[in-house]
Amino acid sequence: MVNSKNDILWIFSWPNPEIIPSYVVSGIMPADYLKIQKVIFLENHDPKSFLLEFKPKLIIINKAFHSKVTLLAQEARDLNIKIISVFDDWHFSYNNQFFEYNKIIANYSDALVVKTTTAANLVKNNIGLTPHVIHDCLRFNSQGPIRDIKYPFEICWFGMPTNHDSLEKGLNEIQKFNYECNIRIITNRHNLLKERVNKLELKKINLNLIKWHKSADKEIMKSDIVIIPYINDQRRSVKSHNRIIDSLNLGRLTIISKLPLTKDFEKYCYLGNIGDGLKWTKENQQLAINMLTEGSKFVKNNYNIAKISSEWKKLIDQTL
């Protein structure tokens, strides 16, 4: 009989895992729901001593941030401890140290987990292993859909600094339509972003830069529309759906670029050029709200913490 509190460890390799969104929705939240012990493994820890202290039967390794995690995986294999490894943004379009860690950890693992089917296909095609797909869960409390869409548009974009180039793409697409917009941008590294957007010479678009924080949902809800532009490259092709599902869960109309990654949401979001999406919304407000209403139901039914955690439990039981 497996005791989830004592026999399983969910391992994070960053000192403050709660500040990393992917850690929260693919690790911390399901671990808490399933009552699995969470542990931080840092570079100054000895892998063997670490494992002998806890004596787990199975470890779940979330995204590796340092090379010692590869030694931890090797030691776990030597001690006959089962391993499930979770991979974020593994796109294979270039090599870096984190992807080298991924390859080593994957080879020691009994099961691999990625966030989307696209990511699973890339892993299989590149290293010959077939991962399980377990989506990120919803991280914010659900809110009802908006009832009307104001003009000038009240828009929000939120994301990590690595996605600032895609935000720039979206702003360019909006500017071509000459719409008046108030856009809240929730992110970090504002100085670098200001350098980007100052070059765009935006007209009729007012930007409000807000530092990312745990209660970002309150800021998102001040807008009617969330935009999620993507650049069509391999790095973006393996992105999680977390920003899409969070936006719909918060009851915001969501306009996203059309990619294979976003196909699952074509009934619930506007897919395509961001400026075209605003034009369609302005001309079809009731259709847009009806689409959003169905999208909110869809994500609440399919990405809630209970459902995602049940998928984790099934995989854990299979691995043990």
Side-chain angles (χ1 to χ4, degrees):
M1 183 72 177
V2 174
N3 184 324
S4 60
K5 287 186 178 179
N6 299 319
D7 295 334
I8 305 172
L9 292 181
W10 211 305
I11 298 173
F12 306 92
S13 53
W14 189 259
N16 309 105
E18 70 282 354
I19 71 170
I20 300 174
S22 64
Y23 266 7
V24 173
V25 292
S26 69
I28 294 173
M29 291 181 68
D32 287 345
Y33 189 89
L34 295 171
K35 297 182 170 55
I36 294 172
Q37 186 175 4
K38 306 185 299 294
V39 186
I40 296 171
F41 176 77
L42 300 177
E43 285 184 278
N44 62 337
H45 290 151
D46 177 73
K48 187 170 184 178
S49 300
F50 181 89
L51 292 169
L52 290 176
E53 177 184 351
F54 292 100
K55 297 182 176 63
K57 294 180 180 177
L58 180 145
I59 59 174
I60 301 171
I61 302 176
N62 258 77
K63 181 177 181 176
F65 278 99
H66 57 80
S67 60
K68 273 286 193 73
V69 182
T70 64
L71 299 179
L72 180 73
Q74 180 181 8
E75 195 63 53
R77 173 55 65 91
D78 291 344
L79 292 170
N80 294 316
I81 297 168
K82 299 289 187 180
I83 304 169
I84 298 174
S85 50
V86 185
F87 300 105
D88 291 335
D89 302 338
W90 195 2
H91 50 77
F92 297 94
S93 57
Y94 55 79
N95 286 324
N96 65 25
Q97 60 181 346
F98 300 110
F99 297 162
E100 292 304 314
Y101 303 159
N102 288 354
K103 290 177 185 176
I104 297 168
I105 295 166
N107 285 328
Y108 286 124
S109 297
D110 297 280
L112 282 60
V113 172
V114 295
K115 313 298 184 65
T116 66
T117 303
T118 305
N121 290 336
L122 271 177
V123 171
K124 184 175 181 180
N125 291 339
N126 279 275
I127 63 172
L129 299 175
T130 303
H132 299 262
V133 176
I134 300 182
H135 297 289
D136 288 339
C137 66
L138 299 170
R139 61 181 141 173
F140 300 124
N141 291 330
S142 298
Q143 303 294 328
I146 55 170
R147 296 183 179 179
D148 61 75
I149 299 162
K150 296 180 286 295
Y151 187 82
F153 291 119
E154 294 292 336
I155 296 171
C156 179
W157 180 93
F158 61 98
M160 300 297 285
T162 50
N163 290 313
H164 285 173
D165 56 348
S166 61
L167 170 61
E168 183 179 350
K169 173 180 183 283
L171 292 174
N172 275 320
E173 291 176 353
I174 293 171
Q175 174 141 275
K176 290 177 181 177
F177 284 80
N178 204 33
Y179 285 135
E180 293 182 54
C181 304
N182 299 311
I183 305 181
R184 292 175 177 83
I185 298 174
I186 309 169
T187 189
N188 296 322
R189 302 182 73 181
H190 289 180
N191 288 339
L192 291 176
L193 180 58
K194 285 177 183 176
E195 289 179 18
R196 277 186 176 275
V197 298
N198 285 343
K199 296 175 184 177
L200 302 180
E201 299 182 354
L202 299 174
K203 299 173 183 177
K204 296 188 177 181
I205 298 176
N206 299 312
L207 303 183
N208 179 12
L209 303 188
I210 300 164
K211 187 174 177 59
W212 174 264
H213 53 88
K214 287 184 179 180
S215 300
D217 56 322
K218 306 298 188 298
E219 297 292 343
I220 296 168
M221 287 165 53
K222 293 175 183 177
S223 299
D224 299 327
I225 299 169
V226 171
I227 58 168
I228 310 177
Y230 289 102
I231 292 173
N232 189 10
D233 60 16
Q234 198 156 307
R235 179 162 73 87
R236 257 55 74 110
S237 72
V238 296
K239 286 290 182 183
S240 142
H241 294 145
N242 59 2
R243 289 189 295 161
I244 302 173
I245 64 174
D246 282 340
S247 302
L248 292 171
N249 184 50
L250 291 172
R252 306 301 106 174
L253 179 69
T254 307
I255 301 175
I256 53 183
S257 301
K258 187 172 185 177
L259 297 174
L261 166 73
T262 60
K263 183 173 171 47
D264 290 349
F265 298 92
E266 60 186 351
K267 293 180 182 178
Y268 313 115
C269 306
Y270 182 93
L271 269 57
N273 178 286
I274 305 301
D276 285 335
L278 292 176
K279 181 176 185 293
W280 179 85
T281 298
K282 201 168 188 295
E283 296 172 353
N284 300 276
Q285 183 166 147
Q286 192 55 54
L287 280 176
I289 290 173
N290 292 346
M291 179 177 69
L292 164 62
T293 302
E294 292 304 309
S296 295
K297 293 176 185 175
F298 173 74
V299 298
K300 288 170 190 175
N301 288 336
N302 290 281
Y303 297 89
N304 63 76
I305 182 60
K307 186 174 191 305
I308 299 302
S309 295
S310 71
E311 294 175 17
W312 272 110
K313 186 177 185 307
K314 181 179 178 181
L315 178 59
I316 289 167
D317 291 345
Q318 288 174 352
T319 305
L320 285 167

